[in-house]
Amino acid sequence: MLRTIISRLGQGFIVVLCLLAITFTAVRLMPGDPFSGEKSHAEHIVQKNKERFQLDKPIPQQFFIYLKALCQGEMGYSATKEQPVAKIIRHSFPASFILGVCGMIIAIGIGIPAGIISALKKNSIIDYGTMIVAMVGISIPAFVIGPLLAGQVATRIPFLKVAGWGDPFDWVLPSLTLGLGTGAYLARITRGGMLEVLNQDYIRTAHAKGLSQATIITKHAIRGGIIPAIAYVGPAFAALITGSFIIETIFQVPGMGQHFVNSTLERDYFLLQGVVILFGTLIVLANLAADIALVFLNPRLRNSNA
């Protein structure tokens, strides 16, 4: 297990480094810079700012300078926000993290039970109805679900506000918007995993031994049936945190999504790089957590890593 974790961390480090290198180079090859556009200044001021941020040096040299600063815990200074990147991330990341966690709790709470029930009631009205609802949930984008919830739910329940991030009640609607689509995917994935397990020989043997349906499901089927769902949860959780810009915009959540988009549009190199490092690291850690969970759930993986 320890060898697996070290190996995954090593692979993840390489992935984040490659992602950073690609982002670092790509943004600098785009036309313009952080000091052009609407906030452009006189040429000598622009040149002085480039020297200040060391943007006048060749790209490879800039990259190694940035890596050296990163190793010292410095993520650079946002040219457009005029704040340290670490401070911007520290203030905005908690909102995105809370939103992602709440969205994933809703997705798991809806998707996995729905998938299990649908598999147990295969080819019944419950099965068809659940999968139709799941397909609708997958097909409707978040920028449609969000306004619908804001318009239909918030107007009928006074304590649910459509904007802001002051108390836990403000988390409900954006978390629902974020979690419903992922829950729909989880329902379909869990159904497929459960159906595959229920058709295995050891399940038929358990039936032949006279074990009750509840015992077979809880002790033998669920553990193997949710393996595909657990494999999906890891990257999905990272995606919920990193890809919630639309929901954050609709419900005015002060999260990371706004910085990711704005730093790209404004070519705020250091802020964009900081966000990419954070998002890349989250994806690596989420996949690592999913791999560890799969090892515990799947004895064959545990034996292969022994």
Side-chain angles (χ1 to χ4, degrees), residues 8 33 50 78 97 111 124 126 135 146 163 168 201 206 216 222 233-234:
R8 293 290 190 275
D33 55 59
K50 286 184 177 180
S78 171
F97 184 76
S124 67
I126 294 176
M135 201 64 198
D201 291 338
I216 293 172
I222 287 182
V233 162

Side-chain angles (χ1 to χ4, degrees), residues 1-16 284-285 287-289 291-292 295 304-305:
M1 173 64 73
L2 181 60
R3 186 168 63 250
T4 301
I5 293 174
I6 294 173
S7 174
R8 293 290 190 275
L9 286 174
Q11 295 171 14
F13 175 77
I14 295 173
V15 168
V16 173
V284 167
L285 293 178
N287 282 320
L288 175 62
D291 289 342
I292 294 173
V295 168
S304 66
N305 288 308

